[in-house]
Amino acid sequence: REVISRVQRLRREAGLDVTDRVVLVWGSQDPLIRSAIATHAAEIAAEVLAVSIEEGVDDQGQPFDIDRRTVSLRVSPAPIP
């Protein structure tokens, strides 16, 4: 839930409409964060309207601490098909 909350905040800060589809890029060295996002990827995608969730090292991502564990998140508008 915390990841969803952080992504929603990033969406607002980016000026995206609530109906805009996004691409979510995330990264973390923490095994618990990595496992949680992998396990709940479908739920996260549905809640934040992500067309894809990509794991990767992202220097442009916003770092967040969740229970003293760091995750980097970045959202960008999804390409229009």
Side-chain angles (χ1 to χ4, degrees), residues 10 23-29 54-63 71-76:
L10 289 173
V23 172
L24 171 61
V25 179
W26 68 275
S28 180
Q29 297 299 317
E54 303 169 6
E55 180 181 4
V57 176
D58 189 357
D59 294 336
Q60 296 176 350
Q62 177 76 33
V71 61
S72 173
L73 302 169
R74 179 172 54 96
V75 294
S76 57

Side-chain angles (χ1 to χ4, degrees), residues 1-50:
R1 302 276 336 140
E2 188 65 29
V3 169
I4 292 169
S5 173
R6 301 294 178 135
V7 172
Q8 297 293 38
R9 183 184 316 163
L10 289 173
R11 288 175 57 92
R12 284 191 299 276
E13 290 172 1
L16 297 168
D17 287 334
V18 295
T19 58
D20 288 342
R21 302 285 178 178
V22 298
V23 172
L24 171 61
V25 179
W26 68 275
S28 180
Q29 297 299 317
D30 188 276
L32 187 60
I33 295 286
R34 294 168 61 94
S35 175
I37 292 175
T39 300
H40 299 287
E43 178 185 351
I44 294 168
E47 288 287 328
V48 303
L49 298 180

